Amino acid sequence: MNKQRELMTMATLSRFKTPLLALALISSGPLLSGCSTSEATGRTFFNGGLTPAQEQKVGATEHVKIIKEFGGTYDEDPALTNYINSLGNFLAKTSETPNQKFTFTLLDSPVVNAFALPGGYVYTTRGLLALANDEAEVAGVIAHEIGHVTAKHSAERYGSTLTANILAAGVGILTGSGQAAQAVGTAGAVAVKSFSRDQEFEADLLGVRYLSRGGFDPNGMGDFLSQLQASSRLDAEIAGDPGRADQFNIMQTHPRTADRIQRAIQQAGTKTVNNPIIGRDVYLKKIDGMLYGDDPSQGYIRGQRFSHPELKLTFTAPKNFRLINSKTKVAAVGPEDSLIIFDGAKGEVSGSLKSYLTNVWAKKISLKGVEKITINGMEAATGSTQINTRNGKRDFRLIAIRYAGNKVYRFTFITDPGQTNRFSEDFRRTTYSFKKLSNAEAAKLKPYRIKIHTIRSGDTLTNLAQKMPFADFKLERLLVLNGLTKNSKLVRGQKIKLVTE
């Protein structure tokens, strides 16, 4: 849509002999129309002509894509889905637009995430529910996303982006400099991104307002952010790169901290909630038995090993590589920007794998050292190349493996040229760890689930951590999952979350 508008702008400019006049008309014309006022904030802003009907259409179109991208909706537990839907609709009724239609969706994804789309589409993931400790925390997340919708942030972001594009096109023609246009475009993008931080705080203000009106503890919003930060630090530590904790959570797109939530609570000006709803026991009962981690249809990550019970295959990634599972591929992110990608070839692959490697998969790339190999009795082929990427030169090693018949799986190993030799043996071990699973081996693979445990006499954090089905960081995982510290005292009758297989 922005590109079309930009082309129309260029066509309009060509009719003017005085670029300055053209720029004036471009810059002022759209800004004099297409404005919206948010009932939630009272602010009027340029929306780029995006009407409520168009917002709804955009949201409905993207909704289908979101569900597909995130592995579908979590349908295993209808009661849990209904619970999130009821909680969302209750909070939406406390907003300034109680009659607005909202669609609340629980996504079947282990990733901790929440977001909103135009038209009132609000999403949470089961990964987020697993990390939350009570109803007030989840309500805080949902209320924040509702705030994005009622503040009309999607329309405002669209208008800001459109304005930046229009001004960039105008400056480019006025100065005759493509570099100048690019500079303004970059500045416009920065402005939009910076303004998004203001939108996040505004959504916090509105979220606090809705939580208070609904009788919830507004501190739940900050409590969950503390949970999220602790989880991201642990994820980074497990991955062997504790200095990059911010890469492991949604704080990249939601730049918020618990301190900012406290500021939002102070500035929201809401009345203090007497006996606020926290709802810990109610919430824990709702998520008891919920799927944790990977869905069976996408295979399981267990430490450094990936196994798929339905496809009946497995392989092991090198130490210090962090496995990330998705619907279509598995990635293993390692040190020094090294990367492994595992996926399946599209469609059936007939003929020799050397031919597939050079004429199909790497058709536009010149491969070196292409040769046939055998991996655990399976035909395979490999070759290498070096490619100039946006991050500089990278060495690529491609491996295609015929699993059975015309079904082929693939490994792509990517390294900085200076580090290729360092990872050579590790990558070789990963390659030859790939094997088929027998029916009996596949049947033994079970998903992880959340289990709510009631503290009994003799229970300690240390012995409870041993019940966690992880190879490492057992105690740390238990503490983060429950928002505890090593000095936390357990009380008989207290309920905590465990992960079981």
Side-chain angles (χ1 to χ4, degrees):
M1 179 66 73
N2 288 347
K3 187 63 176 178
Q4 292 176 341
R5 289 180 180 273
E6 189 173 324
L7 291 173
M8 292 173 61
T9 298
M10 299 292 283
T12 303
L13 280 171
S14 66
R15 302 206 308 261
F16 293 94
K17 295 183 179 180
T18 306
L20 186 59
L21 174 60
L23 177 61
L25 290 172
I26 297 170
S27 302
S28 62
L31 298 174
L32 296 177
S33 61
C35 290
S36 292
T37 299
S38 165
E39 295 179 46
T41 65
R43 287 196 301 104
T44 299
F45 55 86
F46 175 54
N47 64 12
L50 191 65
T51 66
Q54 289 173 323
E55 280 194 71
Q56 183 66 37
K57 185 176 180 180
V58 169
T61 300
E62 295 302 315
H63 178 64
V64 177
K65 300 177 184 177
I66 288 294
I67 290 178
K68 182 178 180 180
E69 180 68 23
F70 280 81
T73 56
Y74 185 61
D75 299 325
E76 182 180 292
D77 187 351
L80 181 59
T81 300
N82 291 336
Y83 167 67
I84 294 301
N85 191 55
S86 298
L87 183 59
N89 282 316
F90 173 74
L91 289 167
K93 292 297 182 184
T94 70
S95 75
E96 294 75 15
T97 56
N99 295 322
Q100 180 174 351
K101 180 183 176 181
F102 278 84
T103 301
F104 297 94
T105 302
L106 177 57
L107 296 169
D108 188 13
S109 171
V111 177
V112 180
N113 210 345
F115 52 93
L117 291 182
Y121 290 87
V122 175
Y123 304 86
T124 54
T125 62
R126 60 175 171 81
L128 186 146
L129 298 192
L131 186 61
N133 282 306
D134 55 51
E135 193 170 76
E137 289 185 14
V138 176
V141 172
I142 295 175
H144 172 89
E145 301 304 334
I146 291 173
H148 278 305
V149 175
T150 57
K152 301 182 183 296
H153 286 158
S154 294
E156 185 174 19
R157 185 182 297 241
Y158 175 82
S160 298
T161 304
L162 180 61
T163 303
N165 288 344
I166 290 174
L167 291 176
V171 169
I173 289 181
L174 179 63
T175 63
S177 169
Q179 290 182 335
Q182 184 178 8
V184 174
T186 302
V190 171
V192 171
K193 184 176 181 181
S194 175
F195 189 70
S196 179
R197 290 179 177 271
D198 293 336
Q199 290 176 329
E200 291 293 345
F201 185 68
E202 194 167 65
D204 284 335
L205 286 170
L206 294 174
V208 167
R209 183 186 301 173
Y210 305 152
L211 286 172
S212 299
R213 289 175 180 175
F216 287 97
D217 182 2
N219 291 297
M221 192 182 292
D223 291 341
F224 181 76
L225 286 182
S226 296
Q227 275 284 93
L228 183 60
Q229 289 168 334
S231 178
S232 67
R233 287 194 292 268
L234 177 58
D235 285 342
E237 187 177 354
I238 292 172
D241 199 353
R244 300 170 71 178
D246 287 344
Q247 293 189 3
F248 294 89
N249 65 35
I250 60 174
M251 295 300 288
Q252 292 173 296
T253 54
H254 291 61
R256 304 152 65 213
T257 64
D259 290 341
R260 288 187 62 173
I261 300 302
Q262 288 301 314
R263 184 158 63 92
I265 292 174
Q266 295 171 3
Q267 294 187 19
T270 56
K271 295 181 179 179
T272 301
V273 180
N274 295 320
N275 299 316
I277 300 170
I278 296 176
R280 178 176 171 80
D281 286 352
V282 170
Y283 178 71
L284 293 181
K285 185 177 181 180
K286 293 290 185 181
I287 65 170
D288 192 13
M290 184 181 69
L291 199 65
Y292 181 87
D294 298 320
D295 185 276
S297 65
Q298 294 182 205
Y300 304 129
I301 293 173
R302 300 290 184 262
Q304 298 306 111
R305 175 173 291 186
F306 172 78
S307 302
H308 203 299
E310 297 179 8
L311 301 179
K312 294 184 174 62
L313 58 82
T314 186
F315 69 86
T316 303
K319 184 180 179 180
N320 295 329
F321 276 67
R322 178 175 183 256
L323 283 164
I324 303 172
N325 197 4
S326 71
K327 190 173 183 180
T328 59
K329 62 177 66 69
V330 179
V333 182
E336 305 297 337
D337 294 326
S338 53
L339 178 66
I340 303 172
I341 299 173
F342 173 80
D343 63 3
K346 294 181 180 179
E348 296 187 343
V349 177
S350 58
S352 76
L353 287 184
K354 287 180 64 176
S355 176
Y356 166 74
L357 208 64
T358 56
N359 298 325
V360 180
W361 187 10
K363 184 178 180 179
K364 298 181 179 180
I365 301 172
S366 177
L367 293 179
K368 300 184 300 181
V370 178
E371 61 177 333
K372 291 175 60 177
I373 57 176
T374 300
I375 298 173
N376 292 317
M378 293 173 282
E379 174 196 358
T382 182
S384 63
T385 189
Q386 190 172 94
I387 300 175
N388 287 317
T389 72
R390 287 183 297 178
N391 297 320
K393 290 183 178 180
R394 291 292 183 270
D395 285 343
F396 283 68
R397 164 69 63 179
L398 308 182
I399 298 176
I401 308 168
R402 191 181 302 281
Y403 178 86
N406 293 329
K407 182 58 183 176
V408 169
Y409 291 102
R410 313 183 303 188
F411 281 107
T412 304
F413 298 98
I414 307 171
T415 52
D416 181 286
Q419 300 295 328
T420 299
N421 289 337
R422 170 188 172 186
F423 291 107
S424 177
E425 183 62 27
D426 285 337
F427 288 172
R428 180 180 174 82
R429 291 179 184 276
T430 293
T431 299
Y432 285 92
S433 73
F434 180 83
K435 67 176 185 177
K436 298 177 182 179
L437 293 175
S438 67
N439 291 335
E441 289 173 325
K444 291 180 180 179
L445 296 171
K446 302 295 182 183
Y448 290 159
R449 293 188 180 277
I450 291 291
K451 178 184 178 181
I452 304 305
H453 174 79
T454 302
I455 299 299
R456 302 186 292 262
S457 296
D459 280 343
T460 66
L461 289 172
T462 300
N463 63 34
L464 288 174
Q466 294 308 307
K467 299 178 182 293
M468 301 281 276
F470 302 104
D472 55 9
F473 294 93
K474 289 175 178 284
L475 178 59
E476 291 81 1
R477 294 177 196 266
L478 176 68
L479 296 176
V480 168
L481 187 64
N482 290 280
L484 302 174
T485 69
K486 292 181 179 180
N487 296 322
S488 295
K489 302 297 182 182
L490 298 180
V491 179
R492 187 176 179 180
Q494 175 185 351
K495 291 179 171 57
I496 67 169
K497 292 176 286 182
L498 297 176
V499 177
T500 61
E501 193 168 15

